[in-house]
Amino acid sequence: MNYANFPLDKRMPLPSTEPEKGEDFIDVERLLGMAARQVKVVAVCAVIGLFLGVIYLQTTPKQYTSFASVLIDEGLNKVVDDISAVSATQQTDATILSQIEILSSARLASEVVDKLKLDQNQEFMNPPQSALAKGVGFLRGIVAYFRGSAVSELPGIENVDAATREAMMKAATHDYAVLVLQTGLMADRNGRSNVITLGYQSTNPALATAITKAYADAYLADQLNASFDATERAAVWLQGRLTELRQSSQQAAMEVEKFRAEHGLSANSDGQLISGKQLSDLNAQLIIAQADTARASARYQQYKAIVDSGSENAFNDSAIASDQPSSSVIIGLKTRYLAVSKRLQDVEANFGKDHPQAVALAREKADVSAQIFGQLKQITESYRNDFQVAQAREAELRQKITTAAGQSSADNESQVKLRELDQQAQALSTLYQTFLGRYQEASQQQSFPVGKVRIISDANMPLAASSPRTIRVLALSLVLGLMLGAGFGGLNEFNERFFRTGEDVRDRVGLKFLGYLPTIGGGKAKETKPDDLPADGKVTSLSAAERRARMRVSLDAPASMFAETLRNAKIAFDVVMEDKGSRVIGVISVLPGEGKSTVAANLAGLLAANGARTLLIDGDLRNPGLSRSLGMESEQGLMEAVVNGQTWQSVGKVDRQTKLAIIPAVLRGQFSHTSELLGSAGMRRFIENARETFEYIIVDLPPLGPVVDAKAFAPLVDGFVLVTEWGRTPRAMVRSMLESESYVADKIVGAVLNKVELKKLAKYGSLGGSEKFFDRYSSYYLEKSESRAKQAA
């Protein structure tokens, strides 16, 4: 930026709060920077997660799991054989799920409890619990107590006798054991196979093995018992059903024969009724007769059309039917006609139409044509007779068919009833044979029941604990710790609303960035009472010597980064105010405690040490921290000089080393009209008087946020230097101040970041940014300082 062209009443426009198009993408560099800044948080949470995982492993009893495998084969094979491929898969899945439900049933669990007497086994009923489970149980008990949900396990037990009470308690214990067993049972299908894996987990490996074996045996016995009971019930039911079916089948067969005899429904060898056979034959003859009639009609109509066209066209339209012999008279006549016609054409062509031979040939041609026409008339009459005969034959056949159809219709009605009776008889006979076969199968299976399941892998004693799994628990604890750390780190980054780098100053609030001011002394002081407020406005327990030392950092360490930043600030307002003979610089901040008094004192000291006539004014009349930090005890200060119309010489003090003139501020009770004083005509006269003597007038003003003193003094200032605390000053507050106080914002030359922790600053800088190379800058400053010291020596 060219400071020579920087107008005093203009400043950089505030950046838009809307994200640019490029910011829609993931900023990997920013994410890596955030990860580097929060790595300690993530690491601490990961260590905590691992520690909690170790505690969980130490306080959780080991669990042992025993497994057994059961194969279901016979029933599923039958299903696959009976239905299609698609439905077979669905039926197989449903069958496997049904068997798993049987395994998980309370009846099967009750048999295992009774067999192993688990309701009397304290290790089963009250297994050792982990500390986590005990804590959850304790919390549940507290919640239940406060909700008033605790009720007696057996209501009304106090009203029964001892024997009944004991029986009820025993039954309740048994039911609880069944519930515990159902809850702990593991039954699942092994992949897509027909194998079901059984398992049970317990703190005692022997108990887990015994329960798994007992479950497999109970399931196998249950399948055998179910098969036996089913076949027994089926045999009893089938036996009663067979008697009814036999009687029904015999009665149906008798009704069929009786109906056939009553209606005289005899049939040929093919089982077809005679009337129906006759009707079928007549229909076939009718079809042939209809074809003959159509053929005769076609020939008759053809020749009739030729005759109707006249004798002139008889030759051209004449045709010979396919059933006429080739030596027919008409064929000879046509041959003769063609020969005469050809000779007539030749004679006419050679001798003309009037030649005697041409006349004779013409007469002969007409005679032949008349003969052909006569022959055609005879053929037409013959075909008419054939057509009438065919029509008469067709009409006769139709009459016969009508008579036969009436008889066949009556027979067919009887045949329908007969067929219905016969079908009923056949169905009853087939059903009887089917039930008879199933009855025989059920009788055989009842004597020797076969189960549909078998154990293919027996339960074995587990050699190692199945849970908790050390590696898995530790890995999960580590992952959860990392996720928790990432969450806290993300929350920290979300709450990051402060200035960290020069880019924040330029991009967020549109101000010129003047540099970083590192933390003086490398640490933060402990807070104390407000009466001991030092020069930077923060309540600390620093001694008076330490406070004065803070005000002279630029003098005691001229080669430090602190001093270099102040020099950069001097260059900035020198360029902006080059046309000003005497420059009034106001040092401001937004919040108290940001170190503006320290910056003002060191800036003034640096200017004075460089030989410039400099005046430092403590303009914070409500809390003169600058005067206290410098250790200036005076009866009169800025307020008295302005009120009494005095010049700076009457209240000012001069530093003997740097010749810096200082105007202290003296706190006078609860004086609340400081803003009127700073903006008064007396203050203007005081500043104008000081301009005649000094090149630089540095004014330490109160913070902009809580009071309006700095705003009242703004007309007398040539430029402001804004001091913001690194990691403490909210960006939104500074931006709001710049937007609302445009008169002050237009005079801000630039901003400095104070109390910067250089070791952490690199984590906030972008790759290639100057923040990443401050360690090199420090070594450079150190080398320069050492070389200057050697030259001075």
Side-chain angles (χ1 to χ4, degrees):
M1 183 175 180
N2 188 0
Y3 288 101
N5 298 326
F6 186 93
L8 187 60
D9 58 345
K10 301 292 182 182
R11 60 184 176 91
M12 297 173 63
L14 292 178
S16 176
T17 56
E18 298 182 358
E20 298 179 358
K21 295 182 179 180
E23 295 179 3
D24 293 338
F25 298 95
I26 297 176
D27 192 342
V28 178
E29 179 181 338
R30 184 179 179 185
L31 291 178
L32 293 176
M34 294 168 62
R37 292 191 293 271
Q38 303 300 328
V39 65
K40 290 185 179 180
V41 176
V42 175
V44 169
C45 291
V47 172
I48 293 175
L50 285 175
F51 178 71
L52 294 177
V54 171
I55 293 178
Y56 174 79
L57 291 173
Q58 295 297 325
T59 57
T60 302
K62 295 183 178 181
Q63 299 285 337
Y64 298 87
T65 306
S66 180
F67 294 99
S69 299
V70 178
L71 173 65
I72 305 173
D73 51 4
E74 183 178 348
L76 298 180
N77 292 337
K78 183 177 180 182
V79 170
V80 174
D81 293 338
D82 291 343
I83 57 180
S84 64
V86 176
S87 59
T89 301
Q90 299 174 352
Q91 186 66 23
T92 301
D93 294 340
T95 303
I96 294 293
L97 293 176
S98 299
Q99 296 302 318
I100 292 176
E101 290 298 324
I102 293 174
L103 282 167
S104 304
S105 63
R107 182 173 60 83
L108 205 62
S110 179
E111 293 179 3
V112 176
V113 170
D114 294 337
K115 181 179 180 180
L116 300 180
K117 298 181 179 179
L118 295 177
D119 54 344
Q120 302 175 15
N121 190 333
Q122 293 300 320
E123 189 174 8
F124 174 79
M125 298 295 290
N126 298 304
Q129 295 182 339
S130 64
L132 179 61
K134 291 179 180 179
V136 172
F138 178 73
L139 293 177
R140 287 181 177 176
I142 294 177
V143 172
Y145 175 79
F146 283 104
R147 292 180 59 183
S149 60
V151 295
S152 176
E153 295 182 358
L154 296 174
I157 192 173
E158 66 278 357
N159 299 326
V160 299
D161 55 16
T164 306
R165 183 183 298 109
E166 184 178 356
M168 293 178 64
M169 293 294 297
K170 185 175 181 181
T173 304
H174 183 273
D175 293 341
Y176 178 73
V178 170
L179 180 61
V180 172
L181 189 59
Q182 283 183 279
T183 304
L185 176 68
M186 293 177 288
D188 197 8
R189 185 179 183 180
N190 190 358
R192 302 299 300 172
S193 66
N194 298 333
V195 177
I196 297 178
T197 301
L198 295 175
Y200 192 81
Q201 189 177 74
S202 175
T203 55
N204 187 344
L207 180 61
T209 304
I211 291 176
T212 305
K213 287 183 177 180
Y215 242 112
D217 295 339
Y219 177 60
L220 185 60
D222 180 77
Q223 291 294 316
L224 293 174
N225 293 334
S227 177
F228 178 80
D229 294 340
T231 53
E232 183 179 14
R233 288 191 297 269
V236 173
W237 182 82
L238 288 172
Q239 186 176 9
R241 185 63 176 159
L242 280 174
T243 303
E244 298 177 3
L245 289 175
R246 183 171 59 252
Q247 295 176 356
S248 300
S249 178
Q250 292 175 356
Q251 184 178 358
M254 291 179 64
E255 290 181 356
V256 170
E257 297 300 329
K258 182 180 178 181
F259 185 84
R260 180 180 284 114
E262 289 177 353
H263 293 79
L265 297 175
S266 58
N268 56 14
S269 59
D270 297 335
Q272 186 177 6
L273 294 177
I274 294 176
S275 60
K277 177 65 176 175
Q278 292 176 352
L279 181 60
S280 178
D281 293 342
L282 289 174
N283 284 326
Q285 293 176 16
L286 178 61
I287 292 173
I288 296 173
Q290 288 175 341
D292 293 341
T293 302
R295 184 166 54 253
S297 175
R299 288 184 301 183
Y300 169 68
Q301 295 296 332
Q302 179 184 8
Y303 279 90
K304 185 176 182 298
I306 294 174
V307 172
D308 293 341
S309 63
S311 60
E312 296 297 331
N313 299 322
F315 176 79
N316 295 329
D317 298 334
S318 64
I320 304 301
S322 60
D323 54 354
Q324 293 294 325
S326 60
S327 60
S328 177
V329 176
I330 196 171
I331 295 177
L333 292 174
K334 292 185 68 173
T335 303
R336 181 182 172 186
Y337 181 86
L338 293 173
V340 172
S341 297
K342 186 176 186 309
R343 289 175 57 194
L344 178 61
Q345 291 177 357
D346 293 339
V347 171
E348 289 179 348
N350 295 322
F351 303 105
K353 294 182 179 181
D354 298 332
H355 193 273
Q357 189 176 0
V359 174
L361 289 174
R363 286 195 299 269
E364 185 179 358
K365 177 180 177 182
D367 183 58
V368 174
S369 175
Q371 293 180 17
I372 291 174
F373 184 73
Q375 289 294 324
L376 288 175
K377 291 174 66 177
Q378 292 179 2
I379 293 173
T380 300
E381 186 65 21
S382 175
Y383 283 152
R384 186 179 66 83
N385 294 333
D386 293 342
F387 173 62
Q388 291 176 350
V389 171
Q391 281 183 327
R393 183 170 177 269
E394 181 181 349
E396 182 181 0
L397 286 174
R398 289 184 183 277
Q399 182 64 32
K400 289 182 179 180
I401 287 174
T402 302
T403 304
Q407 181 64 33
S408 178
S409 176
D411 292 344
N412 284 336
E413 291 180 1
S414 301
Q415 181 68 13
V416 170
K417 181 64 176 178
L418 178 63
R419 189 178 296 111
E420 181 181 356
L421 294 175
D422 186 60
Q423 289 176 352
Q424 291 179 357
Q426 291 293 333
L428 289 173
S429 178
T430 303
L431 186 61
Y432 174 74
Q433 294 296 329
T434 302
F435 271 72
L436 181 60
R438 292 192 176 183
Y439 173 73
Q440 293 176 353
E441 291 178 3
S443 299
Q444 294 295 327
Q445 292 180 1
Q446 185 178 3
S447 60
F448 185 70
V450 178
K452 299 179 181 179
V453 299
R454 57 191 177 94
I455 299 175
I456 61 175
S457 178
D458 203 359
N460 296 320
M461 181 79 72
L463 301 178
S466 58
S467 68
R469 298 183 181 181
T470 303
I471 296 179
R472 181 176 296 181
V473 170
L474 292 179
L476 181 60
S477 301
L478 178 60
V479 170
L480 292 177
L482 291 174
M483 293 175 62
L484 183 63
F488 280 120
L491 182 62
N492 291 339
E493 290 294 330
F494 179 78
N495 293 329
E496 181 63 46
R497 297 290 188 271
F498 313 107
F499 292 102
R500 293 291 186 178
T501 63
E503 293 181 358
D504 293 339
V505 175
R506 289 187 292 266
D507 299 339
R508 301 288 184 173
V509 295
L511 294 178
K512 171 64 180 177
F513 178 62
L514 302 178
Y516 297 100
L517 296 174
T519 301
I520 300 174
K524 294 183 179 180
K526 182 176 64 176
E527 294 187 359
T528 184
K529 298 180 181 180
D531 294 340
D532 299 328
L533 192 68
D536 59 2
K538 188 174 181 66
V539 182
T540 61
S541 60
L542 295 175
S543 63
E546 291 174 337
R547 296 176 190 171
R548 286 193 295 270
R550 285 174 176 260
M551 300 297 168
R552 298 177 58 86
V553 172
S554 60
L555 300 177
D556 298 337
S560 64
M561 182 178 179
F562 194 97
E564 287 296 326
T565 299
L566 296 180
R567 292 189 184 95
N568 186 46
K570 173 185 178 300
I571 294 174
F573 55 71
D574 279 349
V575 172
V576 173
M577 307 172 196
E578 61 180 353
D579 57 340
K580 301 284 185 179
S582 177
R583 297 153 189 175
V584 179
I585 309 299
V587 181
I588 57 174
S589 65
V590 176
L591 296 175
E594 297 188 82
K596 61 174 181 57
S597 299
T598 303
V599 173
N602 281 276
L603 177 61
L606 181 65
L607 294 173
N610 291 336
R613 298 187 304 277
T614 306
L615 173 64
L616 174 61
I617 301 176
D618 187 354
D620 193 349
L621 300 178
R622 303 192 187 198
N623 185 17
L626 175 62
S627 301
R628 283 197 298 266
S629 297
L630 292 175
M632 301 181 66
E633 297 181 359
S634 177
E635 294 296 330
Q636 292 184 342
L638 177 63
M639 182 184 301
E640 289 74 15
V642 173
V643 172
N644 299 327
Q646 301 175 3
T647 61
W648 68 271
Q649 292 89 347
S650 60
V651 295
K653 297 184 177 181
V654 179
D655 183 86
R656 288 176 294 180
Q657 179 181 355
T658 61
K659 307 304 180 181
L660 173 65
I662 303 173
I663 305 297
V666 180
L667 186 61
R668 298 294 183 184
Q670 298 296 328
F671 184 76
S672 58
H673 301 289
T674 55
S675 59
E676 288 84 350
L677 180 66
L678 292 175
S680 64
M683 177 60 74
R684 181 179 297 276
R685 288 192 298 270
F686 183 85
I687 295 298
E688 292 299 332
N689 177 260
R691 282 179 182 271
E692 297 175 358
T693 305
F694 299 101
E695 299 177 39
Y696 297 97
I697 301 174
I698 309 298
V699 184
D700 178 24
L701 294 170
L704 290 172
V707 293
V708 297
D709 294 12
K711 305 170 190 176
F713 190 72
L716 305 179
V717 174
D718 297 323
F720 288 106
V721 174
L722 178 63
V723 178
T724 58
E725 184 174 355
W726 186 82
R728 296 293 295 273
T729 304
R731 298 191 297 259
M733 180 174 289
V734 175
R735 183 183 182 90
S736 176
M737 183 274 297
L738 295 177
E739 291 175 348
S740 61
E741 304 296 338
S742 59
Y743 185 73
V744 175
D746 291 339
K747 288 191 174 185
I748 296 178
V749 177
V752 294
L753 283 178
N754 193 25
K755 303 182 183 179
V756 178
E757 298 181 33
L758 297 180
K759 293 182 179 180
K760 296 181 180 180
L761 179 61
K763 297 180 180 180
Y764 293 91
S766 60
L767 295 178
S770 61
E771 294 81 7
K772 298 288 185 181
F773 302 96
F774 275 143
D775 53 346
R776 298 190 182 182
Y777 294 160
S778 300
S779 61
Y780 173 77
Y781 292 144
L782 182 60
E783 291 175 0
K784 290 294 183 179
S785 177
E786 291 178 351
S787 62
R788 291 176 181 175
K790 290 180 180 179
Q791 292 176 359

